[in-house]
Amino acid sequence: MSLDTGATRTPAFTFRLERDPSLQRPQRLFFMLFSLLALVAPLYYQQNLGGEGLYLPYNASTWIAALLLTAAGLLLAMRRHSLVTPNYGLALCALPAGLLISGFVTGIGNPSEWLLRLGYVLGGFGFFIALFQFRLQRQHQDMALVLVLCGIMLQALIGWIQLQQLPFFSALVPIASSSQPIAIFQQVNLTASYLATGLPLAIYLATRPGALHAPWLIRILPYCGLVLCSGVLLATGSRVGLLGGALGLLLALAGRRSFLIRHKGVALALSLSLLLGSGFLLSDKVEKGSSAALNKIERLQQGGQADVRFSVYEISLDTIANAPLFGHGLGSFQSAWQEERGEFQDRHPELDIGPRYSHPHNELLFWLVEGGLVAVAGILICAGTVAWRLVRLGSERGLLLAGMLLPIVLHTQVELPFYISSPHWFLLLFLLYLTFSQRPASLNLKLSQAARGLCTGLLLLLPVLGATFLLHTLVANAGIVNYMKNRGQQSAFLQPAIHNLYFSGHATYMMMKESLLIGYRLDDKQRSAGFIAWANDYLQRTPDTQLFYDLAGAYVHIGDHRRAQQALERGLYIYRHNKRLEQALLSLKAGDIDSYLKGLAEQHAERSAQPSEALHGSSVQTAQGETP
């Protein structure tokens, strides 16, 4: 992707692939798969419980598209007996290498979490390397960026629909009760950072070489993107999105200042597009979102504990200090962090930190907790390499790409975008590919015929097995939703989830809870004993608030009030000021807890008698929430 603005006229941009002689079969294959990844896959939606990862269906569809593109690119390398690699490739490999070393040294405490975490990182790195194998030229990269902008605009359009609360779209996209523009991501900050990336991207596409000679539809697209993305971004009220968008815009405009000085008409059109988006498109929605952002900034400026993130960061640093070199192990964040949380709250008993956390809302702190200094050293080496590459690219291209990268990178320091949204992960990786795409190196693959056949077979199996697993997660996810719609009366809905690597823990949780309630109704103490054994093991990995409550109830049912009190006190040690746990402890001490269990049994019996057909219309929460 060259940003040279010299006198040489560049070829006109076109979407008519058959008229572009530079497009060979590898490039055509790339655009077919990349269109699927950028435009189609992120739009998939089905009812879900919210949360992160594969609890959000669009992540499964996005990974299927990414696996297809990754396998296709690496198969091209096998066919040519040559692997195209980026400059500074060894430095970039430090990121996955650091995570692998730390993951193996600390051991496998939670096998499914360990496997999925490493698979996410290694799969992303494979996608990054696969992009080089398509050998895209400058005009191909520009064409891909247009597809990326179209995908971002689609999310902005969904956000606008959500702001208008149009009911006939509710089956196709999530609709938030608060009228927030959550797009397909079901979380407003994710929407904001995604749209913020579109602003510097639109600046580049409006000012790139050949833009003034492109067909009119391609010429107006960046301006439409600025109007739509800036308006919906302001309506989000997201601090990190607004900051990332503003800084990204400034960097992009600084990078293209020479072009804009020479082409004042383009500069005026870009300014009018931003003004139209911020002032007229959404009017009162923009005003409300901007006011919300200002209120959040004022609260942040108060310092101390005005924003709960300060407490989260402090607890994370204390957790890191206990295992600084290799961390506590991949998948161990919840158990290690929640333990330290209790000690922190001993020092600050007045604070209410809130619910269970699965991430410290900062990517570096997260990997320091789980992988220690070894893992983060790899991340920092990789980040330093990217920064050095941006500097070497020069003021124009370097500033433009830095502006595109900044919104998502900034988001990683205050939240967990990659664990909620795979489109953010692959968008960042594609922008990193553009950063390293000039003058790549080539590595000859000297493999025997048997080794080449084995690698080819594995690359063919990879998307098939991956897509099969991901499709099964969609079925499992739908089964959990249907189970909850039927108020837990048809356990057959949970069977796909029980046999799914990702959802088995959640499904088992629900099955054991149902068994416990049946035990209350039938006065079957064996069921409660089985629940106790399972719950104590589960809480070692995931200290879930509700499970402490249920565990205490199971202990009461078998007549062990002392351990019931210990379970509640353990829960309150971690989750101070939790009203439900506090009330349960008071009831237990007052001797009222047995009547409560009797009431639960009666409720379960009454619910079991209801026909499930009457419950099919139950609504399911789609906004992000805590999952067991």
Side-chain angles (χ1 to χ4, degrees):
M1 182 178 67
S2 174
L3 299 180
D4 181 21
T5 56
T8 304
R9 180 171 174 174
T10 58
F13 184 95
T14 176
F15 262 119
R16 299 178 180 179
L17 303 183
E18 70 277 5
R19 296 187 180 182
D20 188 347
S22 67
L23 278 172
Q24 304 300 319
R25 284 185 179 180
Q27 291 81 42
R28 292 176 186 272
L29 176 62
F30 167 81
F31 280 108
M32 180 181 70
L33 296 175
F34 192 75
S35 298
L36 183 66
L37 176 65
L39 299 176
V40 181
L43 297 180
Y44 178 75
Y45 174 73
Q46 68 183 41
Q47 275 194 320
N48 60 86
L49 303 180
E52 59 189 59
L54 297 178
Y55 281 92
L56 300 170
Y58 66 85
N59 284 326
S61 56
T62 299
W63 267 100
I64 290 173
L67 285 173
L68 290 172
L69 192 148
T70 301
L74 296 179
L75 282 169
L76 283 173
M78 296 299 302
R79 181 181 178 184
R80 295 173 179 146
H81 303 174
S82 175
L83 183 70
V84 181
T85 60
N87 286 322
Y88 312 103
L90 287 177
L92 296 175
C93 287
L95 189 151
L99 301 183
L100 278 170
I101 293 170
S102 178
F104 279 103
V105 169
T106 55
I108 307 175
N110 190 336
S112 60
E113 282 285 331
W114 187 91
L115 181 62
L116 291 169
R117 191 72 47 78
L118 285 180
Y120 199 97
V121 175
L122 295 177
F125 191 75
F127 172 83
F128 173 71
I129 296 298
L131 290 171
F132 288 89
Q133 313 315 312
F134 294 100
R135 301 184 180 182
L136 303 180
Q137 299 177 18
R138 186 204 62 206
Q139 63 267 36
H140 304 150
Q141 295 171 356
D142 286 354
M143 196 183 303
L145 284 173
V146 170
L147 292 175
V148 170
L149 181 61
C150 289
I152 293 173
M153 290 174 66
L154 284 173
Q155 297 299 333
L157 183 60
I158 293 173
W160 180 82
I161 290 170
Q162 291 161 339
L163 284 167
Q164 308 307 316
Q165 288 286 291
L166 301 178
F168 46 90
F169 284 101
S170 60
L172 301 175
V173 298
I175 301 295
S177 58
S178 57
S179 300
Q180 284 187 312
I182 57 175
I184 206 70
F185 307 118
Q186 301 181 208
Q187 207 259 19
V188 70
N189 285 336
L190 285 170
T191 304
S193 61
Y194 206 69
L195 302 188
T197 305
L199 300 183
L201 175 54
I203 296 296
Y204 168 67
L205 290 176
T207 61
R208 65 179 176 79
L212 300 180
H213 308 290
W216 69 271
L217 185 61
I218 301 301
R219 272 182 288 174
I220 67 169
L221 187 67
Y223 305 100
C224 295
L226 281 177
V227 172
L228 191 57
C229 291
S230 61
V232 179
L233 174 59
L234 283 169
T236 63
S238 167
R239 291 169 295 179
V240 66
L242 292 171
L243 180 60
L247 293 177
L249 264 179
L250 289 175
L251 289 174
L253 291 172
R256 301 302 286 150
R257 61 189 181 279
S258 299
F259 179 94
L260 293 172
I261 290 172
R262 294 197 310 271
H263 300 87
K264 293 181 173 57
V266 174
L268 179 61
L270 292 173
S271 301
L272 290 175
S273 298
L274 288 170
L275 287 173
L276 182 61
S278 60
F280 302 106
L281 179 64
L282 298 163
S283 57
D284 62 318
K285 304 291 186 182
V286 166
E287 183 179 353
K288 291 178 181 178
S290 302
S291 299
L294 289 173
N295 290 336
K296 293 175 184 177
I297 292 171
E298 289 175 1
R299 190 173 73 246
L300 184 62
Q301 288 175 337
Q302 295 173 18
Q305 305 303 330
D307 192 309
V308 73
R309 284 193 182 95
F310 289 113
S311 299
V312 173
Y313 295 160
E314 187 173 345
I315 297 170
S316 299
L317 292 174
D318 292 340
T319 309
I320 293 162
N322 294 330
L325 187 58
F326 293 104
H328 294 269
L330 300 188
S332 67
F333 174 83
Q334 292 199 53
S335 57
W337 192 90
Q338 308 296 355
E339 181 68 29
E340 195 63 40
R341 168 183 175 155
E343 296 183 14
F344 175 83
Q345 290 173 131
D346 283 342
R347 302 192 300 270
H348 303 279
E350 76 285 356
L351 295 180
D352 184 1
I353 299 177
R356 173 168 58 90
Y357 286 84
S358 60
H359 192 284
H361 292 256
N362 181 285
E363 199 69 21
L364 288 178
L365 289 178
F366 177 77
W367 285 108
L368 277 168
V369 170
E370 291 204 348
L373 292 171
V374 171
V376 172
I379 295 174
L380 292 178
I381 290 171
C382 184
T385 304
V386 173
W388 176 247
R389 179 63 174 173
L390 290 172
V391 171
R392 293 293 302 272
L393 287 174
S395 60
E396 285 204 8
R397 189 178 192 195
L399 286 173
L400 270 171
L401 285 168
M404 295 182 205
L405 289 165
L406 185 62
I408 295 179
V409 171
L410 184 63
H411 194 180
T412 65
Q413 300 311 297
V414 297
E415 231 175 28
L416 53 158
F418 300 145
Y419 302 91
I420 308 176
S421 170
S422 296
H424 283 70
W425 176 230
F426 291 113
L427 174 56
L428 181 73
L429 290 169
F430 181 71
L431 294 175
L432 289 174
Y433 155 72
L434 295 180
T435 303
F436 290 90
S437 61
Q438 285 189 348
R439 294 184 293 275
S442 184
L443 177 67
N444 288 329
L445 298 177
K446 298 179 180 180
L447 300 176
S448 66
Q449 186 173 357
R452 188 176 298 113
L454 176 62
C455 291
T456 301
L458 290 175
L459 289 172
L460 290 172
L461 277 176
L462 172 69
V464 175
L465 296 177
T468 301
F469 166 71
L470 292 164
L471 289 172
H472 189 260
T473 64
L474 292 175
V475 175
N477 201 349
I480 290 175
V481 171
N482 288 328
Y483 177 81
M484 296 189 69
K485 278 186 174 183
N486 286 270
R487 299 191 181 183
Q489 297 308 300
Q490 295 191 29
S491 57
F493 282 127
L494 290 178
Q495 289 307 307
I498 288 288
H499 297 96
N500 184 272
L501 176 66
Y502 191 86
F503 284 104
S504 61
H506 191 168
T508 303
Y509 183 105
M510 301 176 81
M511 290 283 284
M512 295 303 295
K513 177 65 178 290
E514 185 67 17
S515 175
L516 179 65
L517 293 176
I518 293 173
Y520 291 163
R521 178 164 59 90
L522 302 177
D523 195 25
D524 184 350
K525 291 180 172 51
Q526 286 297 110
R527 288 180 179 269
S528 293
F531 181 88
I532 288 169
W534 169 82
N536 279 315
D537 179 65
Y538 189 94
L539 286 170
Q540 293 297 318
R541 303 186 307 273
T542 309
D544 180 68
T545 315
Q546 176 65 35
L547 194 52
F548 284 112
Y549 187 81
D550 294 331
L551 178 60
Y555 275 126
V556 169
H557 189 227
I558 64 171
D560 194 339
H561 287 65
R562 182 180 61 84
R563 291 189 178 179
Q565 181 172 333
Q566 289 175 351
L568 292 173
E569 289 173 344
R570 174 63 179 166
L572 283 168
Y573 174 73
I574 298 174
Y575 304 106
R576 308 290 168 90
H577 311 293
N578 184 285
K579 300 300 182 184
R580 196 174 189 192
L581 292 175
E582 287 177 344
Q583 186 59 47
L585 186 58
L586 290 174
S587 298
L588 178 64
K589 291 180 177 179
D592 296 333
I593 194 74
D594 294 289
S595 60
Y596 168 76
L597 294 179
K598 183 179 179 182
L600 271 183
E602 291 173 351
Q603 290 176 21
H604 184 266
E606 180 182 352
R607 195 173 65 193
S608 299
Q610 293 177 351
S612 61
E613 289 78 3
L615 303 171
H616 286 169
S618 300
S619 62
V620 177
Q621 180 71 27
T622 56
Q624 182 192 359
E626 180 184 355
T627 55

